[in-house]
Amino acid sequence: MYKFCVLMAGRGTRNSYTKDINKGLLPLGTYPIIVHILDKAPKDMPVVLTVGYKAEQVESCVKYYYKRDITFVQTDKFMGEGSGPGYSLLQCEHYLQCPFIFTACDTIVMEEYPLLDKNWIGISPVDNTEPYLTVDSKNNLVTMVYDKMKNSPSNLASIGVVGVRDYKEFWNGLRKPRLVNGEHQTTDGINALIEKGLETVSFTWMDTGTTEGYEKTKRYFASNISR
């Protein structure tokens, strides 16, 4: 069995449009971001979705659009010291005792997700490396990661989508976090996958997590995409 996890607990402080709405519910075309993300997951794949900021909004919206198998996991700490995507994901450990894909709710990709016959991490080149986890690779296998480093040795950013085949090793790594800027990132879980083999997968990526990125993606969807 495979599962699909979307991280929607965070406040989304990089995007000025999220004052009164969860960032995953912002509209792209005629549908919210979360619908574009969940539509890429195979319809028979169970979904685990973390909630925190505006949790009632999220649950109501997702239940309106979908009747599929979705488990909502409440994240008790989605702001402040020790919060972050790694912490939110760790709350889902009980429900993700199998290979799974996880994605941030501000990550839009054009391609389909690869199979889970390997560990993989979605990447795309960026001009400014400081906001992102970046990766070095050799023969398409990750050799090193750099978390939110200014002038990183690599400009290949993790786009927030990861396929986890070796889930036991991933959880073991994620339970031993090293906070980055006060946040629990997914880095330690990803580092554990490097030892098992972690393949890079290039995606056409749109980052809706910032005001500028969301506005750019919104314009693109308004003129090019229909569900």
Side-chain angles (χ1 to χ4, degrees):
M1 176 187 290
Y2 301 152
K3 292 188 178 182
F4 187 77
C5 180
V6 186
L7 304 176
M8 287 190 71
R11 166 70 171 78
T13 55
R14 296 184 301 147
N15 189 329
S16 62
Y17 290 90
T18 61
K19 180 179 178 181
D20 298 310
I21 189 172
N22 184 286
K23 61 183 177 180
L25 302 185
L26 291 170
L28 285 181
T30 55
Y31 296 96
I33 290 171
I34 185 59
V35 170
H36 294 285
I37 291 174
L38 288 178
D39 274 1
K40 281 199 169 290
K43 290 181 169 52
D44 60 347
M45 181 179 285
V47 172
V48 177
L49 199 153
T50 70
V51 293
Y53 180 66
K54 303 293 183 182
E56 291 184 3
Q57 283 184 358
V58 173
E59 291 196 34
S60 177
C61 175
V62 171
K63 288 177 180 178
Y64 174 80
Y65 283 105
Y66 297 99
K67 304 302 180 187
R68 62 187 296 171
D69 181 3
I70 299 178
T71 300
F72 296 93
V73 178
Q74 179 69 46
T75 302
D76 60 348
K77 183 166 56 177
F78 54 89
M79 293 181 67
E81 183 79 11
S83 65
Y87 182 85
S88 294
L89 188 54
L90 201 54
Q91 310 312 297
C92 303
E93 181 179 4
H94 171 75
Y95 303 98
L96 295 174
Q97 290 300 308
C98 62
F100 65 95
I101 296 169
F102 74 85
T103 180
C105 71
D106 54 17
T107 293
I108 299 292
V109 296
M110 298 295 104
E111 296 82 3
E112 299 301 317
Y113 300 118
L115 298 175
L116 280 171
D117 56 351
K118 59 192 175 188
N119 301 306
W120 56 265
I121 184 169
I123 60 167
S124 185
V126 293
D127 294 325
N128 177 19
T129 61
E130 190 170 7
Y132 303 107
L133 176 79
T134 54
V135 308
D136 264 335
S137 66
K138 183 177 182 181
N139 299 324
N140 291 331
L141 288 175
V142 177
T143 56
M144 182 74 69
V145 298
Y146 311 95
D147 211 337
K148 300 184 184 299
M149 179 183 291
K150 188 176 183 179
N151 300 321
S152 169
S154 170
N155 74 330
L156 295 177
S158 165
I159 64 172
V161 180
V162 179
V164 181
R165 181 194 62 188
D166 295 303
Y167 59 93
K168 292 181 180 178
E169 287 80 3
F170 178 83
W171 293 125
N172 286 338
L174 198 63
R175 291 191 210 103
K176 307 165 187 175
R178 291 164 291 176
L179 300 187
V180 179
N181 298 332
E183 288 192 332
H184 184 170
Q185 302 294 336
T186 59
T187 312
D188 296 286
I190 290 171
N191 270 323
L193 295 182
I194 293 175
E195 298 178 10
K196 302 293 292 185
L198 178 62
E199 187 170 317
T200 57
V201 178
S202 295
F203 282 93
T204 306
W205 170 46
M206 296 183 183
D207 180 7
T208 64
T210 66
T211 302
E212 180 183 6
Y214 170 61
E215 290 176 342
K216 180 180 178 180
T217 306
K218 190 177 180 181
R219 290 192 296 270
Y220 177 85
F221 271 72
S223 58
N224 292 283
I225 300 293
S226 60
R227 188 177 179 218

